[in-house]
Structures are given as structure tokens and as C-alpha cells.
Amino acid sequence: MSAALPTEVAARLGRLAIELPSWGFADTGTRFGKFLQDAAALTIEDKLDDAAEVHRLTGACPSVAIHVQWDMPAGGAPELAALARARGLRIGSVNPTLFQDQCYRFGSVANEDPAIRRRAIDHMLASVEVGRTVGSGVLALWFADGTNYPGQGSVARRKRWFAEALREVHAAMPASMSMLVEYKPFEPAFYHTDIADWGMAYVLAKSAGERARVLVDTGHHLPGQNIEQIVSFLADEGMLGGFHFNDRHYADDDLTMGSIDPYRIFRIFLAICEAERALGRDLPVEFMVDQSHNLKPKVEAMVQTVVTAQELFAKALLVDLGALDAARARHDIVAAEECLKRAFATDVRAMLAEWRASRGFATDPLAAHRASGYHARAAAARLPRKNASGGSYA
Ligand code: RM4
Ligand code: MN
Ligand code: MN
């Protein structure tokens, strides 16, 4: 059996760049506790080292998303850019951190206190400057703002504060930068969240300015939501800005991509393939990972996600869109669905292994990582620093 990917599939797959989140390499937890890993990253240097390892293995991850408050080295944005460059990477989306400081207890941009709203906007403006300095083209905005009880806030007034803030920040962005507006239905707010769904993100992005679009985090939907429909709808409107890929079973679980429902991710990639066919070129969207589960080893989990993304995109690219359209035209639902099932059932792993080898990468990135000794070296280098930095690590 031939193990070659069709040429167009290989070409499109080769252009799939997947951005890794710095926070996906650090120790994280649940609200009940944090389980620490010997090899998890402590510093931005560690995080970039880990990202570089994933990129070395896959060749698909040239950029790293940062959270401004978590990742800034002492030398600021110029040093940040230099640290990435030294590892053959670049800084990708810049994420302001608007949900952690005590002052944001009752919200950031939608806080009743104008001084806190100002502080939140100023932090976003500072983040724009970070982006300008590191040469990033993306400001990615996620807000925890919301309320926990009926009556706690005025939904309409808060919406206007959001609109004003995003307009001000958009006006400060260089022409090369775009703004991505992320939504999430609940958590940490449990009654109402100010940007709860794609429609609210769409409205706010539209009002912010012409370079603002919607960011779809695959974990940020209520159960049963048809995510691929949202993707198709936004792409057709020219309002799909990018993805935060992860998987989930219940809520915003941040598990590795495709670990729970690979067919869903396949259908999302198919929505992208159909949108690209309509557009006649690659969709100008950011493919980013946003995972921060806390049990799998971090680098392994990230390699798994990247490999899964490539596999599922390859399967989606194998869907015969001509046959699909023909089946649709004659209302042959079964044949249409079979087009999807056939492609999804295709085992692409041997084809991808050959494709990787032809590009000079490991045929099996996960096995190559395990064989490299990277994990043990990282643990040996990081564990003493962890132990020295606080008593809680044991
Ligand atoms: C949120 C959201 C954001 C990410 C933070 C850390 O749940 O998904 O994208 O910046 O987590
Ligand atoms: Mn996200
Ligand atoms: Mn999330």
C-alpha cells in the first residue's frame, strides 16, 4: 500500500503553523490544588526551551503565545523577543492578563470603578506595545469579567464599557496587528459572563475596528453546541480570527486536542477546508493551542496535540469536496455523510510518517522525544530550582 499523502494535502499540511501557549509548559492546577511536575517549566526560558523542543520534533510550531504578566523577563519585551529568536522561535499572540490581580475581583474592563477600568485598558495598551516590540501581529483578549448573582451588574452598561475599551485599544494597535476577541460561557463568573458566546464576541469585535475578529476556543462552549457551525459561519463572514485548540468533556477542561472527541475536531478542520475552498486560499486565521491540563508530562502532551492536529487536518483534507457537493445536490444524505466517514476512517499515520521523513523530521515525534532524554535533562535542571524557590515542592 502506498503511503504517500496526496500532493495538495501535503502542501496544505506543510503550511499549518500551530502556535504553542507558554502556559501549557508550566505547572498548573485545579481549584483544589496544584500537582507539580519535576520537568515543568518555571521561567520563560524554560517554556521557550520546551516549545523549541516541540518545534524541533514537528517543524510545525514556530511561535509561542505569551501572557504578559506571567512571561516577561527582567529585560522586558526586547529580551523576550531575543530569547525566542535564540531558540529559532518567535513570540506570537500577546495575551494581556486581566483576571489575576486583586483589583480585578469585581472585573476589569466592566468593573464599576472607573480607575480599575482604566488600569485594565492601560494594561492592554501596554500589551500592544509589547506586541509592537516583539513583532507580534496578534493581541489576544480573554476576559474573566462577569457576575455571580442576579442583580449584581448592569449587563447593558457593562457591554458599553467593553465596547469603549476595545475601541480604544484597537485604535492604538499598529496596522500590522489584529485583535482577537475570545468568549466563554461561564467560569470564573457563574451567573453571567460579559463575553459569553461567539455572537457577543462578534458584536464587540465589529464595533472595535476592522482588524478585530473572533477567537474560538474549542473548550469554551456549553455542552451540545455545534462548534463547526460557528466556525463556518464566522469564516464566511470574514470574522474568524483564530482558534484555541484543546479538548474537553464537561467545561473548559483544557485537555489535549482530540483526546475526547476527535471527530469533532475533524469536523472543525473540514469547516476550514470548505471555507478555504470558497475563499480560494488559506484562511487567514491563527491556529493556537490553549491547553493546560495537569497530569500528562507537558512536552509530551504538546507533541501529542500537534501530531493529532496534523492527523485530523490531513483527514479533513482527504474529504472529497466534489463528491460531497454532488451528494448534497441530490439530497443524498447518506452519501454525503459517508464522504466524511470515509476520510475520518482513513489511517493517515503511515502517510504522515513518510511526509515527516521527507521534510527531515522524526517519523514519530513522540517516540523521538521519549528517546531524546529531554525530559530527564529538564527535570534534573529544574528540580533544584523548584526546591530552592519555595517549600511547597516535595
Ligand atoms: C482562559 C482562556 C484564555 C487563556 C486563559 C489562561 O480560560 O482560555 O485563552 O488566556 O484561560
Ligand atoms: Mn483560550
Ligand atoms: Mn479556556
Side-chain angles (χ1 to χ4, degrees):
M1 193 187 126
S2 152
L5 276 177
T7 323
E8 335 77 73
V9 174
R12 180 62 189 96
L13 211 53
R15 298 192 303 274
L16 175 66
I18 302 171
E19 182 165 305
L20 305 177
S22 69
W23 55 95
F25 297 109
D27 276 320
T28 50
T30 69
R31 65 196 168 110
F32 302 104
K34 202 164 166 176
F35 296 108
L36 306 169
Q37 298 183 15
D38 294 358
L42 288 104
T43 63
I44 182 64
E45 287 89 344
D46 297 339
K47 296 171 185 175
L48 291 169
D49 283 343
D50 289 354
E53 167 71 357
V54 179
H55 187 45
R56 177 185 76 79
L57 293 158
T58 63
C61 307
S63 65
V64 178
I66 55 122
H67 252 285
V68 173
Q69 198 165 322
W70 302 339
D71 293 325
M72 204 50 72
E79 186 184 350
L80 183 61
L83 290 172
R85 217 178 304 120
R87 291 161 175 80
L89 302 169
R90 61 181 173 76
I91 300 300
S93 59
V94 173
N95 294 250
T97 315
L98 293 158
F99 43 82
Q100 189 173 294
D101 291 352
Q102 291 302 315
C103 69
Y104 295 137
R105 175 181 187 140
F106 299 116
S108 64
V109 159
N111 197 299
E112 290 284 333
D113 182 342
I116 310 280
R117 296 204 296 276
R118 189 68 250 162
R119 177 166 161 166
I121 294 171
D122 285 347
H123 177 60
M124 286 190 277
L125 295 174
S127 301
V128 168
E129 294 315 310
V130 169
R132 200 193 298 269
T133 305
V134 301
S136 165
V138 177
L139 183 74
L141 302 177
W142 176 72
F143 300 91
D145 289 58
T147 62
N148 276 2
Y149 294 96
Q152 186 184 331
S154 157
V155 169
R157 194 159 58 224
R158 294 169 67 103
K159 165 179 162 284
R160 288 198 293 271
W161 285 330
F162 256 97
E164 281 166 26
L166 296 195
R167 271 198 291 274
E168 181 176 343
V169 174
H170 190 285
M173 295 192 320
S176 56
M177 192 178 284
S178 53
M179 172 188 280
L180 302 185
V181 183
E182 186 171 354
Y183 56 90
K184 177 169 164 172
F186 76 97
E187 196 207 23
F190 290 116
Y191 171 61
H192 112 283
T193 295
D194 287 284
I195 311 183
D197 66 22
W198 70 273
M200 298 178 204
Y202 180 106
V203 167
L204 287 169
K206 271 275 179 213
S207 92
E210 59 182 12
R211 297 192 312 287
R213 288 177 294 157
V214 178
L215 170 52
V216 176
D217 182 315
T218 48
H220 289 194
H221 303 87
L222 294 173
Q225 176 83 56
N226 183 336
I227 302 173
E228 58 270 29
Q229 178 185 9
I230 296 171
V231 170
S232 288
F233 199 102
L234 287 174
D236 198 59
E237 287 290 320
M239 287 299 283
L240 179 67
F243 292 95
H244 270 177
F245 279 121
N246 51 55
D247 214 339
R248 49 69 73 83
H249 194 62
Y250 297 104
D252 187 23
D253 307 342
D254 289 333
L255 302 176
T256 48
M257 186 177 185
S259 55
I260 303 292
D261 188 352
Y263 194 43
R264 184 198 286 284
I265 305 288
F266 163 82
R267 297 193 306 270
I268 290 172
F269 275 124
L270 178 59
I272 293 164
C273 294
E274 291 205 75
E276 296 197 336
R277 182 183 57 166
L279 198 63
R281 61 185 166 92
D282 294 356
L283 268 186
V285 301
E286 308 294 326
F287 294 97
M288 301 174 281
V289 173
D290 182 6
Q291 71 185 28
S292 68
H293 55 84
N294 50 34
L295 297 180
K296 288 179 176 174
K298 306 287 173 175
V299 175
E300 284 191 9
M302 212 59 88
V303 171
Q304 246 193 338
T305 280
V306 173
V307 168
T308 302
Q310 291 174 328
E311 288 173 0
L312 293 171
F313 194 23
K315 286 170 189 262
L317 288 162
L318 288 174
V319 171
D320 184 340
L321 294 180
L324 183 61
D325 273 345
R328 287 167 174 169
R330 50 175 204 276
H331 299 294
D332 189 342
I333 303 166
V334 171
E337 189 195 0
E338 287 298 319
C339 287
L340 274 61
K341 289 182 64 177
R342 199 176 310 120
F344 184 66
T346 306
D347 188 347
V348 295
R349 287 174 297 182
M351 294 189 253
L352 283 182
E354 191 186 297
W355 172 72
R356 290 197 172 92
S358 74
R359 302 166 76 236
F361 295 104
T363 53
D364 182 342
L366 197 51
H369 171 64
R370 286 198 164 185
S372 72
Y374 180 91
H375 183 92
R377 281 196 304 280
R382 295 169 189 179
L383 192 53
R385 280 194 272 132
K386 289 190 178 197
N387 284 327
S389 71
S392 65
Y393 192 88

